[in-house]
Amino acid sequence: MLYKRNEFEEIIPKDDLRVGMKFCTREIIHYGWAQDTGLTFYYSHVIQRITPKRTKVVCEDGFEFNTREVDFYKVVPEMQAENEKVKLYRKMIRLTNDLEKLPATDFVSSGEEMREAVKHLYLFHEFVMKNKEAREQKESTRYGHSKEN
């Protein structure tokens, strides 16, 4: 139903679903107004019951899924690594949003503490700029153009 976002994703055909089977569903992570981050969070479930016509799957955790609307993914170790990236991303966004809300006078401290903070902020800035350039490069090759065009 949906396109493959990560190479490790493997869809389980609805006819292969069985009671007791573990599977994942996914959430595409967005920022702001539907801006795709390129990250995906995978939720793990265990099938408790499947309706006779195989149109609905009921899970042990209480979730229910319509088999016509949801893709079921085979659980693989790479999903845990992707989930960890999503958690780190969410922490980074929360921290940067918290900093944005502080008054500038809260940044004034001893010279040594300020030097240390600037060093860490500079490293964070380098990290963000490196990733921004990598994303732009990836997008330009995907759409067949470069910055110079």
Side-chain angles (χ1 to χ4, degrees):
M1 287 182 213
L2 296 171
Y3 62 94
K4 192 173 187 175
R5 286 183 61 90
N6 292 301
E7 290 301 314
F8 56 80
E9 289 181 348
E10 185 179 333
I11 294 177
I12 303 169
K14 80 174 188 176
D15 291 334
D16 292 351
L17 296 171
R18 302 283 178 257
V19 172
M21 178 183 273
K22 192 172 185 178
F23 70 93
C24 285
T25 55
R26 71 179 186 185
E27 174 190 359
I28 296 169
I29 305 302
H30 297 283
Y31 178 75
W33 185 252
Q35 185 177 359
D36 189 353
T37 62
L39 295 171
T40 307
F41 194 86
Y42 297 92
Y43 296 94
S44 182
H45 307 278
V46 177
I47 299 173
Q48 182 179 34
R49 187 172 79 79
I50 303 172
T51 58
K53 293 184 180 180
R54 305 186 77 71
T55 56
K56 185 163 70 169
V57 169
V58 180
C59 301
E60 290 178 355
D61 55 11
F63 283 90
E64 297 182 2
F65 299 100
N66 182 327
T67 58
R68 293 184 191 114
E69 297 173 356
V70 176
D71 285 329
F72 300 86
Y73 296 93
K74 182 179 178 183
V75 179
V76 295
E78 291 87 351
M79 290 176 174
Q80 186 59 37
E82 183 74 5
N83 285 355
E84 185 62 29
K85 284 173 49 178
V86 170
K87 290 174 187 176
L88 291 169
Y89 167 78
R90 287 176 172 160
K91 285 179 184 177
M92 290 169 64
I93 292 299
R94 195 171 24 249
L95 286 168
T96 56
N97 286 342
D98 287 350
L99 282 175
E100 204 171 78
K101 295 174 191 171
L102 294 172
T105 55
D106 288 347
F107 298 146
V108 177
S109 182
S110 73
E112 185 57 38
E113 287 178 325
M114 291 174 72
R115 270 190 288 287
E116 189 68 19
V118 167
K119 184 170 79 175
H120 291 292
L121 286 170
Y122 181 75
L123 291 172
F124 179 72
H125 181 264
E126 280 184 337
F127 164 79
V128 171
M129 296 309 291
K130 179 185 75 165
N131 287 321
K132 176 182 181 275
E133 290 171 11
R135 181 182 44 79
E136 288 172 348
Q137 180 65 35
K138 184 178 177 183
E139 287 175 359
S140 70
T141 56
R142 179 185 309 158
Y143 300 117
H145 57 68
S146 63
K147 275 184 166 179
E148 292 81 37
N149 291 345

